[in-house]
Amino acid sequence: MLVIVSMRVWNQWKQLNLTNQNLVTVGVIPLSGKNTQGTIRESSPEPPRFVARYTPPHHGAGYRVHTKYELKLTASNKLKESTTTVVIHVKDLNDNPPLFERPTYRTQITEEDDRNLPKRVLQVTANDADKDRPLDILYFLTGQGIDSDNPANSKFDINRTSGEISVLKPLDRDLPNGRPQWRFTVFAQDEGGEGLVGYADVQVNLKDINDNAPIFTHGTYFGNNHHSTIIILQDHHKHKHPYRWHAGQGVKHVWLWFASDCEVRVRISAGCADGMTVMTMTAIDHDDPSEGTNARIIYSIEKNVIEEDTGSPIFEIESDTGVIKTTVCCLDRERTPDYSIQVVAMDGGGLKGTGTASIRILDINDMPPKFTKEEWLTEVDETDGITLPETPILTVTVHDEDEINKFQYKIVDNSGYGADKFKISRNNDGTGALMIAQHLDFEDRMQTNGFRFRIQVSDLEEDGDQDSYHLAYSWVVMKLRDVNDNRPQFERPNMEVSVDEDLEVGESLARFKATDPDQGGRGVVKYSIVRTSDRRRQFCIDHEGTVAVQRSLDRENTPKHEVKILAVDEGVPPKTATATLTVIVQDINDNAPKLLEDYRPVLLEHVPPRRIVEITATDEDEMSKNNGPPFTFKMDSKADDIIRASFKVEHNKKGANRVGSAVVSSLRSFDREQQKLYPIPIVIKDSGKPARSSTNTLTVIIGDVNDHRMQPGFKDILVYNYMNQAPDSELGRVFVNDPDDWDLPDKKFYWKDSEHPRFRLDEDTGMITMRHGTKEGRYHLRFKVYDRKQSQTDVPANVTVTVRGLPHEAIINSGSIRIAGLTDEDLVRVVDHKSPSQQASKINRLRGKLADILNTERENVEVFSVQLRQKHPPVTDVRFTVHRSRYYKPIRLNGLVLMHREEVSQCSSRQTDNTKTIASQTPQPTLREQSIAGGLRNHGYQDLKEGSSWIEKDVGINITMVAIDECLYENQKCEESCTNTMNISNSPYLVDGNTTSLVGVRVDVMAECTCGARNFTESESCRTSPCYNGGRCTEGRYGSSCSCPSGSDGPRCQQTTRSFRGNGWAWYPPLTMCDNSHLSLEFITRKEDGLLLYNGPIVSPETEEVIVSDFISVELEKGLLRLLLDFGSGTVELKVKTKGSLSDGEWHRIDVLWDTQNVRLVVDLCKSADVEEPEDGSPLKFDDTSCQAHGTVPPFNEYLNVNTPLQIGGIHLEQFDPNMYHWQFMPVGKGFDGCIKNVFHNSKLYDLGAPGLSRASVAGCPQTEQVCNTHESTFRCWEHGTCVGSFSEPRCECNPGWTGPSCLSQTVPTTFNAQSYVKYALSFEPDHFSTQLQLRFRTREKDGELFRVSDQHNREYGILEVSRSGSTVILQLDGGEGRRYNETFLFEGHQWLVVDKQEGVFAGGKAEYTGVRTFEVHADYQKGCLDDIRLDGKHLPLPPAMNGTQWGQATMARNLQRNCPSNKPCMNVICPEPFECVDTWNKFECTCGEGQSVSADGKGCTDKNECLEEPCLNGGNCINQDPRHRYRCICPGGFWGDNCELVQEGQTLKLGVGALAAILTCLLTILKTHTKHPPPNDDVRENIINYADEGGGEDDMTAFDIKPLQIPVEGNSQDLSPKIQCPHLKPGPVVEEFMEKYKRADRDINVPPFDDLRNYAYEGPGSVAGSLSSLPSGTDDNDHTFDYLEGWGPRFHKLGNIYRQDSEESGEDNSERR
């Protein structure tokens, strides 16, 4: 080993210190020279150097061998020598850990010793082999009883310096919480806790004390344990019957089953003798069994049972074993069926424990069975097919006085005809089930008359046939019914015909004939066509089977048809047979030729005349029939002169392999700067007979050459950054003024100054790229451009980039239009290529026009997307959004744009009467001719105001579609259901228009061929299913849920009700297109006429537009319902003549159901139908003429395609002639006066509180709310329920979990354990036709029956929230929308459910008894909870909290538990850091705590950003905080509270508008009761009445009706409520409306200003006054202004400032205010 130190030779001592690294031998060698003996050469310029070398020893003695070395060194040069001594000291290293005296320390202490704590129990000592190092050892502990994280929980501790171990707490030795020995490890670490570590084990044994009494693990023993004792008894007939007892874990009682009547069998029944072992009771003692007698147990009976006759105890127990025996003979079950004794277990220390044993005496089989009927009569259908029915056809019952019986059934062989065709078995409840064993055929003459045979029952399990005492017999008489079991048979199931494609409509093709073998071939067969084989309905078939053409054929579209023909018989259910008609379509020359491709050749400018391109053609007709080539070509004679002078077309009949071609050549040179494109019309003619020709356009593009010098340029770029998430995005090229546009390869682009950090430049293309993360703002960029060919350098080019952020809300609330004939660049470009003059781009002009139409400022309109959809001919989509205080709804944007799209011929009429009502029905009058009084005339609405211009004319565009809808044109994108899906991309869409660029959001509308309302493939989230009306959306483990404000009671916080006053309407999104649709709504009114719903055209079609005439209309006409439906090929009209008028002031429901051919109109779920279901089994009678109407939609269209606003309560549209849409019927269109609620379409619930546009309409139903607020029984209903009353009588409907007349009592849930159920006995008679069932449940099980309602025939209906009307069933879960909704809506088969009130109502499953005391629950609902069960709206009790209500009693209940607690799943769970265990009810999850979320890698927790859930209301700003504080809301002026939900003025709490309305109503009611009533002739024209009654947020305040003020008011004291009640807060009109109309009435000089307050509360049915209780209900899109509050005095200034913040959000037009 080398080098410790190097030294020079001087005459002095050198001392070295070496560490003990195995140093043994030291030698010296020179560092220079060749003298290996240490001599030094004379020529050495420096004294020589030496190195000390040492060699490690073989055995590693190291420091302990030598601690010091002395080296004597001699240096000589033959003449002289010099010596020196080197002393080497070896230092000790810390290479030995501390060593304890022994590896394991053991000691013993007494348990539960709490004296003198902490107490020393042990001393440990460790030493260190490194002797020369300081002895600085520290001790510490780990292991059992040591908690280093929380020392307060430790049981032991050690003195860190002395090694003294102490016990800190008294220790328990015994189970279940103690332990007899504690083991832990003591560690010793030298170097003061910084060095090596040694360890030893420590065992602390606990000495037992007698501190535990014996215990029985179950105080009372029931059954089902893991031990079994078999007791064999004998009865009179010497048959053995073993009875087993199982004493099981977790059960608290052991039932022992003994034989009765022992005194009769004393001599032969050993089991009944005294001394018979009954059971063993075992107690446990947790004390140490080896410690004296602490755990020695002695048993005794403390409370025994005494035999009355002898006074002797009946049972005894062995003191050592706990075995219980009988002491007497012959126990009698009839005398005493049950015994209970108390057993005591005592240990050696005198401590006692007690347990109870329950013993039951079993019956033996000593009584014979007996059928309950001597003869059983039944009927059965003949079988059909191979599979036999598995359901019983007859259930027989037996009576037996024995308690337990296991009946065995059989059919007596050869007892009669049919005995071999059936079988019988035992049900779980002991009854017998007779089933079919062989096929039954009514056509077999032997079986036609039925069957009769004998059945037998035995109550013995084995060898029952041998003991006649235990047998019984009965007869079965069965009638066989004929069923429809034969299919129709075609004479020719396959036919083929060949026809020309020009075959006339109505021509017959073939005739099919089919017969029905049933009924001797006399059955009637009906024919139909399978529509999937004939999607376009080109064929039809009549009742005789003749197939004819009903739509023209087209070989080019479908050369061969495979038409499936169905033959259907009259059976129930019907049988069908299928035949096939093959139609071969022959070609005729019906198609003109066209160019083979879209030729667009390029001809460079300034070149002499030359050949440009050779073209050829194609033809869709069949070439083999000479209906195509050869083709001839020529230029169209009508071509422009410039075209004829510039180009020529030469036909070449031999070109293209003699198909024919043409050569197009130029006749002159061209200049691209004058014109870029030249369209050449070419006529192509084919060789068919007759020949056909067409004119096609060939476009010649003039190519550019760089022949102009460039000039400085400027460019504006507008960037819309979607959610500020745009990646690196191209913004367009740097622009310089240069007429040449193909000279990019000649140019180079550079930054004029330094490069901008947020932008990047491509020097070759001039493309500017914005980097990701660029913030909103305006950026000025400066460049210079070099042109190689023109030798130009440093030409300046400046670019201004404006970046605007666009939130997701703006996209989903955008309007859209489709423009034809213009590209995206045409719309964005500012410089016209024909002249360099600057003008506004079409997009900028469109933006200004939209601002005019939507009555807002230009800066509020954003045209954020311009996308080219089709290149040739160009089609471009444009999207725009409008934002004031919030975004306008798409339906408002699209609807108003549509009504302003183009100027129509009725322009003069438009100025005076621009919103007409649709007219009454045939014969096809125009709307102008038929507009009716009271309809939608001009109510001051200014959207289509005089002098307004039209978009297409003023902007210079051709709009072909408003509200882009890829599903609008039938069968274009999908052949079945179609749903529009909006795809939004973070990658922007660039439109570069030279001096301008628009970098917009890429939005694509895609057609998905599915019914969107029923497509649940995507998971539910707050983004896909948002909450309305300020509701807060929360995403959980199983989807999203909404926390809704008051008044928004829909599942997604929809406002479900809206009121109309007879001259109003409201706009909503259109109905979506589905092949099977269901539309439903409810309404209430006292007016006989009124339109409920309309969706269809609102403007006249354009001249060249593809007409979409589809519409749907539902209206009341003279109190009856009228439906109009048109798919675009004809109108169907349905009317229902109900038994009474529907304008009766009660709520009514309408259901409209349609598919591709049929439509149904159902009123009130057909509850008024006449139904008869005879008990004798004869066919039921169901007369639905008073509630249902059917119809067929005229062919050939199959879907309702609409994209205009869905209008509810009335119609708002421009004046147009309905004849333009070819309607056969038109709606009357009179405005609806009343309330509409619960508008569902395909399970989607409309939010009626937020229309896109509305007039004379408010959210809620003030008419019914007034009745609810003034009625004592419903006054507090709003706290935990909803008042659903009519105009005359209110009714409180409680929210789930609440009950009572006013919904003030909370229900108590019940936990259902295994084999649990509740059986009810009803005290009311449920309606036979209609059933409503509602309940709450909570479970993690996948299967189980929640509730059952059945009749005596066990026809079962409904689980969960179920509404049944006849055979229709509607199932709703958690509000019932979307995926939480299902239905079947056919009135077929049985319609009545006569509920068995005693035996037919169960919760949790149906119990069937397998014996007297044993039962089995089928479809057992277990490990879950039920709550708030309502049948027909009546609350049923739920034991154990409640056993009865006035509507029913719980007659049987098993295995139930009060409340719905969790099973504490986190009790024994330790989650890894940093997660914590969260109880999610009967299940745990290791997750992050409150305010945190799991990190992306799933290994940690991060702060949860609660601000993403938008918790701050009223414009509050959310600031995310640490997990402990979650978030904080910075409230705007006038609001406060955790979520800015409260209104304030300074430091004074202010009430919201709704509260103000309620207080005003209350105060006015008080004044009303204390004011002297004037005589009848007193004038009340000064009263504050809502004159116009036109709805919240309405702007037309001049259209009030003065009539109510000029009518003398009669004394109305009889109408006054005897009690003063303040209504709860409900939606209603806006304060501005109320006060503005009051001030206008006050200024009326024509009436005396008589002040009177008596009619302030004049609301209710028939009143024109608005409800003060609905004061705050402005719709989301209604525009309000609160400047009028300034005129009320200084106290209202702040109130005006508060409401002015949200004054621009409403859906009604503000044109008068502008």
Side-chain angles (χ1 to χ4, degrees), residues 611 614-617 629-631 633 650-663:
R611 170 176 168 162
E614 182 177 4
I615 61 175
T616 186
F631 305 112
F633 300 81
E650 299 174 301
H651 173 64
N652 180 7
K653 64 180 181 179
K654 295 182 179 181
N657 294 327
R658 299 187 178 275
V659 170
S661 65
V663 175

Side-chain angles (χ1 to χ4, degrees), residues 378-392:
T378 187
E379 295 183 2
V380 63
D381 292 335
E382 62 174 328
T383 56
D384 181 21
I386 300 176
T387 304
L388 295 176
E390 297 180 357
T391 56

Side-chain angles (χ1 to χ4, degrees), residues 1581 1600-1608:
R1581 285 170 287 182
F1600 61 83
D1601 185 3
I1602 202 67
K1603 293 180 181 179
L1605 305 181
Q1606 298 175 337
I1607 299 175

